[in-house]
Amino acid sequence: MDREFEVLGQRVIDDKYLIAELINEEVMKDKDEAAAAVNREFIQQVIDTRAGFVELLGESIKNSCQVEKVYEAIDSWGLATGRYFLEANMMLDDALAESSLYRKHLVKLIKSEGKQRDIDMDTLFEVMEFFHTLLDHAMFSYSSAYIDAYQEKLKEARREFFELSAPVVPIADKVAILPLIGDLEIDRAQYILEKTLTAANKLRISTLVLDLSGVVKVDTMVAEQIIKIVQALNMVGVKAILTGIRPEIAITLSQLGIDTGSLVVGGSLKQTLEKLDFMTL
């Protein structure tokens, strides 16, 4: 039986570019010819990649008796390919859709070769079953790697967004401003709190103006996060002045039962900066 697996696997390897071209024809049949011509070099790279995958499947069929080694190779391919296609801005759905084309053309090839070599049906069915399992596992490995890399990219983008969304800007000796813009969910508020305390210590500021005029959504959770930031600053000796408080923010603070008299409120940012300039003269 091992001999039949080797023969069929080798046939898959020998026809890897034929299979890759057939798959490419089906993928490109509805594409614009002019666009295809412009991207000819990239298309050839994709064909080479498909041929490489077909070869991997062929080698896996040949080495079916070394199951652990075969699946390690499939996992390695999935990890590298999933990350590569994400970097190339290819959609996961497009890649997964091609699995049916691999299945279609490789099954046809294996059946044809099996008949020509008069391989018994039981053996042929075993080869088919092994091939389907390999392809399913390859798609799973590819998808997992793609999703993991995508999530890493999202985390990095979120980290960069947080970094840019909490700029503590010195405007005078021991005075800085922190303009808050957009939604203030818990994760972002926690990041702002940590960065603000670090910046306050590093810049040796004694007064920090928190401008809320750019905060889009104001609810109980947002108000609580703002109070936490103010309280934490007070604990390290930094006077926090809130500016840009719109009526809805004031109402939310009142509904929380917070003594707004304990907060330093400066009206608009312009008014506050003018007062600070006066105070520093």
Side-chain angles (χ1 to χ4, degrees):
M1 184 182 296
D2 290 346
R3 175 60 184 162
E4 285 82 357
F5 272 76
E6 290 179 8
V7 167
L8 294 172
Q10 187 58 52
R11 179 58 192 274
V12 169
I13 295 171
D14 292 342
D15 284 357
K16 61 183 180 182
Y17 271 100
L18 172 62
I19 298 297
E21 290 286 357
L22 289 171
I23 292 173
N24 187 66
E25 286 178 9
E26 292 203 44
V27 171
M28 299 299 295
K29 64 182 178 182
D30 297 323
K31 304 290 184 182
D32 180 75
E33 291 185 6
V38 171
N39 297 314
R40 195 174 303 280
E41 183 177 346
F42 175 72
I43 291 172
Q44 186 56 51
Q45 291 177 355
V46 173
I47 291 174
D48 291 340
T49 300
R50 292 188 179 116
F53 179 50
V54 173
E55 181 176 11
L56 173 63
L57 293 171
E59 290 287 354
S60 299
I61 294 172
K62 281 181 66 176
N63 299 313
S64 60
C65 57
Q66 304 176 46
V67 176
E68 186 175 340
K69 181 179 178 181
V70 164
Y71 279 97
E72 284 179 359
I74 292 289
D75 287 336
S76 179
W77 172 87
L79 178 63
T81 307
R83 290 180 176 274
Y84 170 77
F85 281 131
L86 176 64
E87 292 300 323
N89 294 317
M90 292 186 67
M91 299 298 293
L92 179 59
D93 290 349
D94 293 338
L96 293 179
E98 289 188 14
S99 66
S100 63
L101 300 179
Y102 285 99
R103 207 179 298 275
K104 168 185 172 182
H105 291 292
L106 284 168
V107 164
K108 188 181 294 184
L109 175 64
I110 292 171
K111 286 172 64 176
S112 174
E113 185 69 10
K115 288 180 180 179
Q116 287 185 17
R117 293 185 176 271
D118 198 26
I119 296 175
D120 68 87
M121 292 301 295
D122 287 342
T123 301
L124 198 56
F125 280 137
E126 286 194 34
V127 174
M128 293 289 193
E129 184 178 0
F130 186 64
F131 160 69
H132 287 308
T133 303
L134 285 175
L135 186 57
D136 290 341
H137 187 77
M139 292 302 101
F140 172 77
S141 296
Y142 170 90
S143 301
S144 296
Y146 187 101
I147 292 170
D148 287 346
Y150 182 74
Q151 289 176 338
E152 288 174 11
K153 220 170 184 181
L154 284 180
K155 287 180 182 177
E156 179 62 21
R158 188 175 177 83
R159 187 196 65 77
E160 291 178 359
F161 169 73
F162 281 176
E163 185 71 24
L164 294 172
S165 68
V168 177
V169 184
I171 57 174
D173 185 30
K174 295 187 177 183
V175 179
I177 181 173
L178 172 60
L180 298 179
I181 300 172
D183 292 337
L184 194 62
E185 76 278 9
I186 293 177
D187 287 348
R188 184 184 172 205
Q190 182 62 36
Y191 179 85
I192 290 173
L193 174 58
E194 293 173 0
K195 184 175 180 182
T196 301
L197 293 176
T198 301
N201 180 63
K202 183 178 179 181
L203 298 173
R204 298 182 182 279
I205 62 176
S206 58
T207 301
L208 180 66
V209 179
L210 279 77
D211 182 49
L212 307 178
S213 56
V215 176
V216 176
K217 180 181 177 183
V218 180
D219 56 19
T220 300
M221 186 274 292
V222 171
E224 288 177 343
Q225 299 309 315
I226 292 171
I227 297 305
K228 285 181 181 179
I229 293 173
V230 171
Q231 291 173 339
L233 287 169
N234 288 336
M235 290 176 66
V236 295
V238 177
K239 177 184 178 183
I241 303 176
L242 300 179
T243 65
I245 295 183
R246 300 191 302 277
E248 59 267 34
I249 299 180
I251 292 172
T252 304
L253 290 174
S254 299
Q255 290 174 342
L256 280 174
I258 294 172
D259 179 12
T260 54
S262 64
L263 301 175
V264 181
V265 180
S268 71
L269 178 60
K270 181 176 181 295
Q271 293 170 336
T272 299
L273 293 180
E274 289 174 350
K275 290 179 181 179
L276 286 173
D277 284 342
F278 175 75
M279 291 166 57
T280 55
L281 288 177

